[in-house]
Amino acid sequence: MVVKVYGAGYGSAKRVIACLIEKEIEFETIPIDLLKGEHKDPHFLQLQPFGVVPVIQDGDYTLFESRAIIRYYAEKYKAQGTDLLGKTIEERGVVEQWLEVEAHNFHPPVYNLVLHTLFSSKLGFPADQKVIQESEEKLGKVLDIYEERLSKCKYLGGDFFSIADLSHLPFAQYLVGDLGKEHMVRRRKNVSRWWDDISNRPSWKKALDVCNP
Ligand SMILES: N[C@@H](CCC(=O)N[C@@H](CS(=O)(=O)O)C(=O)NCC(=O)O)C(=O)O
């Protein structure tokens, strides 16, 4: 069954696309235009009651929340494509730990920078410079912890690429790209080495091609 990915053009959906490519799972993308409000359409809300993207449909199985989706496919197809979870429950625990760190410590400040720097005018609210400054300060502290972690091992979850690293790709891409904050990565040599490693993976390059044709 070909997996349907709704909203592939947007950040959190790219996390799912990169995972499906790493796991060698066939998928198709279904555009959802956020600026036209298609994510608030009653039919879409039946798939995702919170009205955000992505959602996947895999036959009669529907799942939303991008990190839940990548955990699902990483587990369901553990023996296919890249192993993204580690070999032991202890390795899995550390992977889950850094995936939670990405969701609760890395994502919020970067998401605020994206909203207030890139989308405030399109979404019709004033960019809040205080939020921008506070978010950059918070993110700097998070990256300092990453710098220490990555001085001890190649990837966040250990010495193997995992969903913890993969989950960072979409919004770290914003950081070094459209947000113009690449210096926050480059001034930290281990974070810089890590970013070059994970962002040069063929799966990420293909995900960007699929999502930004
Ligand atoms: N926790 C959700 C977040 C999804 C989310 O916020 N998606 C954004 C797009 S993006 O941030 O992933 O680019 C969205 O649909 N925003 C629409 C809205 O908030 O109305 C997930 O990871 O799937």
Side-chain angles (χ1 to χ4, degrees):
M1 184 67 66
V2 176
V3 179
K4 293 179 180 174
V5 184
Y6 292 79
Y10 298 97
S12 302
K14 290 178 188 171
R15 172 174 299 125
V16 171
I17 299 288
C19 179
L20 293 172
I21 295 168
E22 288 281 353
K23 300 305 292 179
E24 299 169 2
I25 298 166
E26 197 180 352
F27 64 91
E28 61 176 303
T29 60
I30 296 166
I32 299 289
D33 190 325
L34 300 185
L35 294 180
K36 290 181 182 168
E38 292 177 357
H39 56 311
K40 303 303 183 186
D41 179 285
H43 294 297
F44 184 80
L45 291 172
Q46 286 181 344
L47 292 177
Q48 217 293 12
F50 297 95
V52 293
V53 293
V55 184
I56 64 100
Q57 280 187 309
D58 190 345
D60 59 6
Y61 184 69
T62 300
L63 202 58
F64 57 81
E65 282 298 334
S66 61
R67 297 175 188 82
I69 297 167
I70 65 175
R71 285 183 168 105
Y72 170 71
Y73 282 110
E75 187 73 56
K76 181 175 181 180
Y77 294 98
K78 193 168 188 331
Q80 178 175 310
T82 310
D83 177 7
L84 296 171
L85 298 174
K87 299 281 187 288
T88 65
I89 188 63
E90 286 71 24
E91 287 185 346
R92 176 69 179 270
V94 176
V95 168
E96 292 289 354
Q97 170 185 278
W98 288 98
L99 181 52
E100 290 299 309
V101 166
E102 182 275 322
H104 304 294
N105 300 82
F106 176 85
H107 183 79
V110 182
Y111 189 70
N112 276 334
L113 289 172
V114 168
L115 278 187
H116 286 269
T117 309
L118 302 178
F119 291 107
S120 59
S121 53
K122 284 180 184 168
L123 296 173
F125 64 86
D128 185 328
Q129 293 307 319
K130 188 168 182 291
V131 168
I132 290 170
Q133 184 185 344
E134 287 172 353
S135 297
E136 190 164 337
E137 286 166 5
K138 281 177 188 171
L139 182 61
K141 290 178 179 136
V142 171
L143 292 177
D144 286 342
I145 293 169
Y146 283 27
E147 180 68 6
E148 172 63 21
R149 171 65 178 167
L150 293 165
S151 72
K152 297 186 174 78
C153 48
K154 191 173 180 183
Y155 299 101
L156 289 171
D159 290 329
F160 56 95
F161 179 74
S162 74
I163 50 175
D165 307 293
L166 180 145
S167 196
H168 284 81
L169 285 164
F171 286 84
Q173 188 73 48
Y174 268 124
L175 191 65
V176 304
D178 294 351
L179 286 174
K181 303 283 183 190
E182 184 170 6
H183 63 276
M184 295 187 77
V185 169
R186 297 305 176 194
R187 70 160 60 120
R188 296 170 171 92
K189 72 178 177 62
N190 296 306
V191 172
S192 183
R193 182 263 311 153
W194 169 74
W195 170 248
D196 284 338
D197 182 314
I198 68 172
S199 60
N200 279 300
R201 289 181 74 90
S203 64
W204 182 239
K205 292 180 181 291
K206 186 174 176 188
L208 290 175
D209 287 345
V210 165
C211 297
N212 306 323

